[in-house]
Amino acid sequence: MATHTPQQMRALHERWSALWRGDFSHAQEILDPGFVVHQARPDGSDSEAVTGPERLLPEIEQTMDAFGDRTITVGIGPIVDGDLIAARWTMSATYTGGIPQATAPVGTQVSFSGHDILRVENGRFVEYWTCTDVLDGLSQLGAISGPNGPARH
């Protein structure tokens, strides 16, 4: 396994962040074909069933479709430790529609956070652990019960 400097790892994380801003031009370069996502999924599906860019890019596209005017800020990190990169981020966006059960009108402003840990091998991301506060986002959209009361159906 090649060792990367913290500066190289941070630069790789910036390319990761570009994916989430919709720039897929370098996805094949930075995502290993065996790239695995470890994620608790709200629908109970197996996050590891599909690997590689084919696993991640459709999820990013779904996020882009449901939320416009996205701003993703990294509040902590990226923190580099060996072959791992960690960061805490917050996404603020405008709801554009398409989330099942959502009762919030298109144009609703939402903000939710998450933590990512990425493992790098040979200059590519090979594993991704993410913990996103999906429940917070869904409650802001009225899709589930949350701190602002029950979901409205």
Side-chain angles (χ1 to χ4, degrees):
M1 176 175 83
T3 302
H4 303 288
T5 67
Q7 294 81 10
Q8 290 170 320
M9 296 285 276
R10 286 187 187 93
L12 190 57
H13 187 268
E14 180 53 39
R15 295 178 84 191
W16 167 264
S17 297
L19 287 176
W20 289 94
R21 290 189 300 269
D23 179 1
F24 295 171
S25 64
H26 55 276
Q28 301 297 328
E29 296 170 27
I30 68 168
L31 298 175
D32 189 81
F35 176 78
V36 175
V37 176
H38 306 282
Q39 176 185 40
R41 301 199 39 91
D43 63 3
S45 63
D46 180 2
S47 70
E48 300 173 27
V50 177
T51 60
E54 300 78 23
R55 163 59 180 89
L56 183 67
L57 300 183
E59 188 165 317
I60 295 173
E61 288 172 333
Q62 288 173 355
T63 300
M64 292 171 59
D65 287 346
F67 299 103
D69 301 320
R70 292 170 315 281
T71 302
I72 300 173
T73 55
V74 175
I76 300 175
I79 299 167
V80 175
D81 186 7
D83 63 350
L84 300 173
I85 302 172
R88 175 172 169 75
W89 52 266
T90 298
M91 183 177 88
S92 299
T94 303
Y95 178 55
T96 58
I99 294 182
Q101 313 286 319
T103 59
V106 168
T108 297
Q109 298 297 305
V110 298
S111 181
F112 56 90
S113 298
H115 298 80
D116 294 342
I117 300 173
L118 298 139
R119 188 170 71 82
V120 175
E121 190 174 289
N122 298 320
R124 290 180 159 184
F125 293 110
V126 293
E127 287 186 277
Y128 172 41
W129 292 266
T130 184
C131 181
T132 302
D133 196 348
V134 173
L135 296 179
D136 182 27
L138 291 174
S139 86
Q140 291 174 56
L141 295 173
I144 63 166
S145 295
N148 297 321
R152 291 165 251 125
H153 296 284

